[in-house]
Amino acid sequence: MENLIELLKKIITNVLTALYQPFWFAVILTVFLLFFYLYAYKPIDTGKGIRAAFRAWWQEFRTSLFFRKLFLLTFFTVMILFQTLINRNMWINPLSDIMGGWWIWHTAADGTVTLTTECFENIALMLPFTALLLWTVAEKIFCGRKITFGRCVRISTKTAFLFSLAIEFLQLFLRLGTFQLSDLFYNTLGGALGGMIYWICWKIRGKKQKTGK
């Protein structure tokens, strides 16, 4: 029991550390990127100075639910790119470990066994992305079609797979990290779970609206 608790502590610590490292960078870059969005679609206060720009940004954040959704989606997208591309060291051979690690224990060439939580980190990294994507642009994604469990999972799985595949190929071509099939699998799994969570939340919200609570 103690070993299990210790294992869970290490997993939680490593996952939270992986998410915490790019946090403030992602917040600052997200705020900056949404300035471009704001003045592309609502250029009311353009050219009135930095104070007016920040006031307009904050006012939009306070009053627009879509803007807050877009903020969260952009934030997690930046987090993903930071972890997978921006904050990575150059590798001489990106294909040196193409299969990657498929579980929490990694056995080195000398037989040493170490704990690794990359699989959980990959799941945790992509899960919020697909859930937030469906939440933010559900109307455009579903185009008036009925929101079903299968459709949510199918769309989120496909999105996570393609996004992860693009990242893996960028890592390969730019020599940032290593191309690993295990990363692709766990990222896709995280995306599928994100679609499930979105559907569950959507069903709960629908039931509350019907009962008037």
Side-chain angles (χ1 to χ4, degrees), residues 35-46 56 60 63-64 67:
F35 270 111
F36 290 97
Y37 165 82
L38 189 61
Y39 289 107
Y41 289 92
K42 298 184 179 181
I44 300 174
D45 294 323
T46 304
E60 187 69 17
T63 58
S64 174
F67 193 75

Side-chain angles (χ1 to χ4, degrees), residues 9-103:
K9 285 172 61 178
K10 288 184 179 180
I11 292 173
I12 293 172
T13 300
N14 289 349
V15 170
L16 291 179
T17 300
L19 295 175
Y20 171 77
Q21 287 176 342
F23 181 83
W24 290 112
F25 169 82
V27 169
I28 295 171
L29 185 57
T30 300
V31 171
F32 179 74
L33 290 174
L34 288 188
F35 270 111
F36 290 97
Y37 165 82
L38 189 61
Y39 289 107
Y41 289 92
K42 298 184 179 181
I44 300 174
D45 294 323
T46 304
K48 295 183 180 180
I50 188 66
R51 291 185 178 179
F54 274 105
R55 282 197 300 268
W57 194 100
W58 179 243
Q59 181 65 21
E60 187 69 17
F61 186 84
R62 289 178 55 199
T63 58
S64 174
L65 175 60
F66 176 77
F67 193 75
R68 292 194 294 271
K69 291 179 181 180
L70 190 62
F71 178 89
L72 291 174
L73 178 60
T74 306
F75 169 78
F76 274 101
T77 304
V78 173
M79 291 268 286
I80 292 172
L81 295 178
F82 182 92
Q83 285 293 104
T84 56
L85 293 173
I86 299 174
N87 190 36
R88 300 299 293 267
N89 297 323
M90 295 287 291
W91 286 70
I92 297 176
N93 182 15
L95 295 174
S96 60
D97 189 20
I98 191 170
M99 293 304 296
W102 291 91
W103 191 228

Side-chain angles (χ1 to χ4, degrees), residues 98-171:
I98 191 170
M99 293 304 296
W102 291 91
W103 191 228
I104 58 176
W105 301 109
H106 177 263
T107 304
D110 59 357
T112 304
V113 179
T114 56
L115 173 66
T116 175
T117 58
E118 288 187 10
C119 56
F120 295 102
E121 292 172 22
N122 287 325
I123 292 173
L125 198 64
M126 195 63 70
L127 189 153
F129 171 75
T130 53
L132 288 170
L133 180 66
L134 292 174
W135 186 44
T136 304
V137 291
E139 294 182 0
K140 293 183 178 180
I141 290 177
F142 295 104
C143 299
R145 294 176 296 176
K146 184 178 180 180
I147 299 177
T148 63
F149 178 81
R151 191 165 287 156
C152 289
V153 174
R154 185 169 62 252
I155 291 174
S156 61
T157 302
K158 180 180 178 180
T159 302
F161 173 78
L162 293 176
F163 189 26
S164 179
L165 186 64
I167 290 173
E168 291 298 320
F169 274 111
L170 284 172
Q171 289 179 337

